[in-house]
Amino acid sequence: MDFQLMLAPMEEVTNDAFRTLCYNNGADMTFTEMVRVSNLAKAKKFETDRIRISNATPTQIQLAGAKINEYEKFLSSFKPENGFKSFNLNLGCPSPEFIRQGIGAAMVKRITRVNEIVKLIQKYGFECSIKMRLGVNNYEKMKGAYLNLINNVDASFFIVHSRTAKQRSNEPADFSVYYKCLDTGKLIVANGDIKTREKVLELKKMGLYGAMIGRAAIEDPLIFKELKV
Ligand SMILES: Cc1cc2nc3c(=O)[nH]c(=O)nc-3n(C[C@H](O)[C@H](O)[C@H](O)COP(=O)(O)O)c2cc1C
């Protein structure tokens, strides 16, 4: 299995053109910016436009939300376009509004609901991966909330952004968590502060399935070529 280099989902950045640019320059998989399932269920055009895939660029559509009826409504009329590969659930958004609503990073501990959503997506014949943080805060991280989720959800792979929702993006990502993640036996993709070939090689040697690149791809969308190992 080849080590996968993935373009991170980024609002206002990873549109169709940006995803295609990164794919043509070495990214193995790309992700749409996050879209709210509540808007998709109502077929709101500004949201459905954000998940259009105009070509064969391998793309996962990232969904945020926790209401089963909204997923059901959206999925019942969803028609995959050319490059569509899978759905991805957002269990990482740190916005206080999301946390209050029990979505984004607050869903890391909502294992039953996450399982229901993943199973529903699979029932419609689609794959589902997960992008997550380590929990809302350090307490959840220490309690191993992220490991409980990885152990108990049957997703195709887990992208672990190794910070809690409370941590700012200038605080260093905690790469030590990946050993515990790998012990679950699941496919794990690392995310957070990855920008050099040396780091990618180190992650590959650890046994990770891939590395997801965000801000470094904004600085240089051609970086995937340099990072190929
Ligand atoms: C401008 C911007 C927008 C982002 N939007 C999303 C998003 O829509 N969904 C998501 O899961 N993460 C989002 N993120 C987080 C990134 O996907 C990634 O997890 C984070 O930037 C850490 O990776 P990096 O150090 O490689 O940038 C965003 C990050 C940035 C900088």
Side-chain angles (χ1 to χ4, degrees):
M1 202 160 34
D2 281 347
F3 189 81
Q4 299 286 301
L5 285 179
M6 302 185 176
L7 169 67
M10 290 184 281
E11 276 192 299
E12 309 294 330
V13 179
T14 58
N15 59 19
D16 190 69
F18 192 82
R19 295 193 307 264
T20 304
L21 175 65
C22 292
Y23 173 61
N24 288 341
N25 287 283
D28 299 300
M29 180 59 70
T30 71
F31 292 71
T32 67
E33 43 191 324
M34 173 182 78
V35 285
R36 302 279 298 244
V37 181
S38 53
N39 293 330
L40 294 178
K42 293 181 199 137
K44 296 222 166 142
K45 191 173 174 328
F46 70 89
E47 208 74 316
T48 53
D49 280 353
R50 302 207 295 172
I51 60 168
R52 292 302 308 272
I53 304 166
S54 72
N55 58 35
T57 298
T59 307
Q60 301 212 2
I61 294 178
Q62 194 190 57
L63 304 173
K67 293 194 176 138
I68 295 293
N69 62 329
E70 292 174 349
Y71 279 90
E72 190 98 53
K73 190 146 192 244
F74 161 61
L75 288 166
S76 62
S77 63
F78 174 74
K79 298 210 172 32
E81 293 185 287
N82 207 0
F84 173 79
K85 292 289 174 222
S86 165
F87 287 107
N88 172 264
L89 295 187
N90 180 310
L91 273 57
C93 181
S95 110
E97 187 208 324
F98 270 51
I99 305 294
R100 264 196 306 276
Q101 292 176 29
I103 59 177
M107 275 179 86
V108 171
K109 54 185 179 297
R110 297 184 68 186
I111 293 174
T112 308
R113 178 55 57 91
V114 174
N115 254 324
E116 278 177 280
I117 297 168
V118 171
K119 288 204 166 85
L120 181 67
I121 288 172
Q122 291 166 344
K123 193 186 91 182
Y124 276 91
F126 304 117
E127 286 190 27
C128 185
S129 65
I130 287 191
K131 180 168 182 278
M132 57 196 286
R133 293 215 182 204
L134 302 174
V136 168
N137 49 33
N138 204 40
Y139 177 77
E140 286 187 12
K141 176 183 171 185
M142 302 295 280
K143 287 278 181 192
Y146 61 106
L147 296 171
N148 282 342
L149 184 110
I150 296 171
N151 270 316
N152 292 299
V153 172
D154 186 22
S156 44
F157 58 84
F158 297 83
I159 303 147
V160 181
H161 177 187
S162 54
R163 292 186 174 91
T164 67
K166 280 267 150 64
Q167 285 182 293
R168 294 186 180 279
S169 52
N170 58 0
E171 288 181 54
D174 178 2
F175 287 93
S176 72
V177 298
Y178 293 123
Y179 292 104
K180 288 185 204 151
C181 293
L182 286 166
D183 284 345
T184 63
K186 304 278 180 90
L187 293 179
I188 308 292
V189 175
N191 172 238
D193 299 344
I194 301 166
K195 38 187 166 238
T196 63
R197 198 163 181 278
E198 290 68 39
K199 193 74 204 175
V200 172
L201 258 178
E202 186 188 318
L203 296 166
K204 184 179 179 184
K205 280 194 191 133
M206 277 171 75
L208 287 153
Y209 174 54
M212 175 175 267
I213 318 298
R215 288 163 295 175
I218 300 180
E219 272 176 43
D220 178 11
L222 312 190
I223 193 170
F224 296 95
K225 271 191 176 148
E226 280 167 43
L227 296 182
K228 267 268 159 353
V229 289

